[in-house]
């Protein structure tokens, strides 16, 4: 999602927390003895049926605050993103001998629309898996009601089948998966969770408790390398998701686009505050305990953990690089040149969007792409120059 970088300290006043959602979370905290692990809190805040940020009917995706949205993703910035990604997907379909695309967390359906348009008859089916009923409705409106010819090609699935094949696409899906929070107190690793604020029955406060024996961030750095008070995240759910996909895929490939770092950067001792961040009306703040249900909660991705999870479950890494390099390798500049804009204004908008996708100070360096394959390894187009797999 095109969210402000962590160095951006602009903050918008937080909305009031959703009372029904807060009551649900407070009840679960009480049922669990007065303390709730943060990954469960984040799961409820984002995905509680009918109440969570993604499941409660909010318009989360859009270009500007005035439309009530909180962030915008690359496919909404420009159709050049999907057109360029389609070159890699098409190569992967050919290399793996498959004819189906699976997209997880499809947002407004913009990327699906772009891939379907560019892949055409190269695919027989496009399957979307999305937990948000509101977004699924927007996707259906965009992809089927507006284009009836796609009614037999685009389907929605509530869960992953026991086996499947094809090419998986996940644009900014890993960052929204719940994480555990770890705190180093100078002697021990603690787990940060949430309890109810005694002064505000529907308010929440942080509470640290001893972590399970042996629990610590997945890094080779010694504990004494970390500054006391350091907070960071671990990503068990995202890694389990990737492992499940790898185990159930019989043949195919997968490409995940997200913001994040390899392990050595993610758990660098100078990154003392972790990467947890919230977003509301295209502004950022660091506190997920206020405005519950009305703000996005997200963290950066540990791509080393994702790579290992995929490998251990049967995938082979095709490559890992920055979004800017990946899109350049896949022909983004050539796609822009071929658009033939009708006006100078349109051309300027397209060039500005392209710069946001590839520039190092925009999305080009912060966002990364990792690719996997099950079946014969192939020289994936997007990683032919600037592959950083050795940094994972």
């Amino acid at each position: 999602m095109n969210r402000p970088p962590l160095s951006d300290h602009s903050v918008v006043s937080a909305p009031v927390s959703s009372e029904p959602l807060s009551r649900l979370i407070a009840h679960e905290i009480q049922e669990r003895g007065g303390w709730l692990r943060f990954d469960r809190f984040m799961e409820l805040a984002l995905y509680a049926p009918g109440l969570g940020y993604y499941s409660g009917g909010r318009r989360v995706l859009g270009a500007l605050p005035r439309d009530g949205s909180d962030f915008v993703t690359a496919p909404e910035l420009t159709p050049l993103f999907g057109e360029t990604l389609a070159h890699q997907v098409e190569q992967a379909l050919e290399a793996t001998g498959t004819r189906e695309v699976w997209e997880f967390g499809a947002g407004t359906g913009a990327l699906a629309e772009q891939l379907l348009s560019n892949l055409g008859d190269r695919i027989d089916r496009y399957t979307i898996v999305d937990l948000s009923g509101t977004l699924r409705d927007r996707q259906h409106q965009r992809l089927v009601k507006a284009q009836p010819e796609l009614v037999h090609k685009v389907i929605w699935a509530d869960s992953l089948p026991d086996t499947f094949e094809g090419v998986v696409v996940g644009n900014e899906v890993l960052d929204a998966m719940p994480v555990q929070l770890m705190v180093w107190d100078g002697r021990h690793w603690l787990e940060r969770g949430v309890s109810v604020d005694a002064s505000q029955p529907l308010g929440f406060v942080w509470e640290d408790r001893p972590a399970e024996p042996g629990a610590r961030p997945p890094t080779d750095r010694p504990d004494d390398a970390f500054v006391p008070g350091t907070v960071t995240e671990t990503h068990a759910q995202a890694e389990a998701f990737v492992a499940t996909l790898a185990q159930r895929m019989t043949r195919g490939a997968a490409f995940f686009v997200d913001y994040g770092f390899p392990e050595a950067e993610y758990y660098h001792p100078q990154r003392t505050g972790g990467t947890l961040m919230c977003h509301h009306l295209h502004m950022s703040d660091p506190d997920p305990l206020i405005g519950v249900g009305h703000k996005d909660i997200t963290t950066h991705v540990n791509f080393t953990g994702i790579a290992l999870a995929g490998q251990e479950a049967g995938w082979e890494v095709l490559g890992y690089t920055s979004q800017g390099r990946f899109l350049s390798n896949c022909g983004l500049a050539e796609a822009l040149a071929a658009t033939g804009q009708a006006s100078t204004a349109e051309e300027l908008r397209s060039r500005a969007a392209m710069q946001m996708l590839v520039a190092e100070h925009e999305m080009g360096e912060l966002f990364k792409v990792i690719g996997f394959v099950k079946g014969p390894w192939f020289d994936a187009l997007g990683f032919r120059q600037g592959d950083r797999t050795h940094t994972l």
Side-chain angles (χ1 to χ4, degrees), residues 98-122:
T98 57
R99 298 188 57 84
E100 182 170 357
V101 172
W102 290 74
E103 184 180 359
F104 290 82
T108 64
L111 179 57
E113 183 178 53
Q114 293 157 17
L115 290 176
L116 284 160
S117 174
N118 285 278
L119 293 171
D121 293 337
R122 183 61 190 82

Side-chain angles (χ1 to χ4, degrees), residues 45-63:
L46 296 181
Y47 304 112
L51 298 174
Y53 176 77
Y54 283 109
S55 56
R58 281 186 53 82
R59 179 185 174 87
V60 300
L61 281 159

Side-chain angles (χ1 to χ4, degrees), residues 47 60 66 77 95 114 187 205 211 214 222 234 258 330 355:
Y47 304 112
V60 300
R66 64 172 174 263
L77 285 174
Q114 293 157 17
R187 297 180 59 194
V205 292
T234 60
D258 230 311
C330 290
Q355 282 299 110

Side-chain angles (χ1 to χ4, degrees), residues 23-344:
R23 289 188 183 279
L24 174 69
I25 296 173
H27 177 73
E28 181 153 338
I29 291 174
Q30 182 181 18
E31 291 291 305
R32 292 176 180 257
W35 185 83
L36 191 64
R37 287 172 48 162
F38 181 73
D39 56 347
R40 178 57 177 164
F41 175 89
M42 183 173 173
E43 181 180 357
L44 290 171
L46 296 181
Y47 304 112
L51 298 174
Y53 176 77
Y54 283 109
S55 56
R58 281 186 53 82
R59 179 185 174 87
V60 300
L61 281 159
L64 296 168
R66 64 172 174 263
D67 63 21
S69 65
D70 296 321
F71 53 83
V72 63
T73 62
E76 276 87 37
L77 285 174
T78 172
L80 291 173
F81 179 81
E83 180 180 343
T84 305
L85 180 59
H87 295 154
Q88 177 61 91
V89 173
E90 183 174 19
Q91 183 204 22
L93 290 165
E94 182 66 29
T96 60
T98 57
R99 298 188 57 84
E100 182 170 357
V101 172
W102 290 74
E103 184 180 359
F104 290 82
T108 64
L111 179 57
E113 183 178 53
Q114 293 157 17
L115 290 176
L116 284 160
S117 174
N118 285 278
L119 293 171
D121 293 337
R122 183 61 190 82
I123 57 174
D124 296 329
R125 188 162 61 177
Y126 196 106
T127 302
I128 294 173
V129 182
D130 203 308
L131 296 178
S132 171
T134 301
L135 289 175
R136 284 172 65 145
D137 289 344
R138 291 180 70 180
Q139 295 155 14
H140 191 272
Q141 181 69 37
R142 183 172 197 156
L143 299 173
V144 175
K145 288 191 175 179
Q147 302 178 69
E149 69 276 12
L150 296 178
V151 68
H152 299 298
K153 181 173 283 191
V154 182
I155 65 171
W156 282 262
D158 295 321
S159 60
L160 193 65
D162 291 340
T163 61
F164 76 103
E165 64 176 39
V167 175
V168 168
V169 175
N171 181 53
E172 301 187 55
V173 65
L174 299 176
D175 66 84
M177 294 191 176
V179 298
Q180 292 172 255
L181 295 183
M182 304 292 293
V183 182
W184 175 246
D185 70 356
R187 297 180 59 194
H188 307 97
W189 284 104
L190 309 174
E191 183 166 2
R192 175 157 291 179
V194 180
S195 59
V196 175
D197 185 346
S199 66
Q200 302 180 50
L202 293 183
F204 304 107
V205 292
W206 295 117
E207 182 179 337
D208 300 337
R209 293 193 175 185
E212 295 179 1
R216 68 185 306 276
T219 173
D220 293 333
R221 298 188 191 278
D223 291 339
D224 59 11
F226 292 91
V227 176
T230 291
V231 181
T232 192
E233 306 92 24
T234 60
H235 302 260
Q237 289 201 32
E239 291 165 12
F241 165 73
V242 168
T244 299
L245 290 179
Q247 290 163 356
R248 298 190 184 186
M249 178 185 282
T250 55
R251 59 173 174 155
F255 299 91
F256 297 101
V257 185
D258 230 311
Y259 40 91
F261 314 102
E263 180 182 289
E265 294 180 46
Y266 199 103
Y267 297 113
H268 195 283
Q270 294 180 353
R271 196 181 303 283
T272 58
T275 69
L276 183 68
M277 189 61 65
C278 303
H279 298 90
H280 176 66
L281 297 179
H282 296 261
M283 301 289 276
S284 63
D285 79 78
D287 191 348
L289 304 188
I290 58 176
V292 180
H294 296 296
K295 297 192 302 185
D296 182 32
I297 307 172
T298 179
T299 65
H300 283 45
V301 175
N302 170 16
F303 278 102
T304 299
I306 295 301
L308 290 173
Q311 284 182 317
E312 291 170 0
W315 274 346
E316 187 174 359
V317 174
L318 285 170
Y320 166 72
T321 192
S322 68
Q323 175 178 284
R325 174 60 68 181
F326 181 87
L327 293 176
S328 296
N329 288 341
C330 290
L332 179 62
E334 293 80 357
L336 175 63
T339 56
Q341 288 89 354
S343 70
T344 302

Side-chain angles (χ1 to χ4, degrees), residues 348-369:
L348 288 175
R349 282 194 292 270
S350 292
R351 288 191 177 278
M354 186 183 79
Q355 282 299 110
M356 288 193 69
L357 295 179
V358 302
E360 289 191 1
H361 64 285
E362 295 281 359
M363 301 171 70
E365 178 59 32
L366 180 63
F367 282 67
K368 310 297 193 308
V369 185

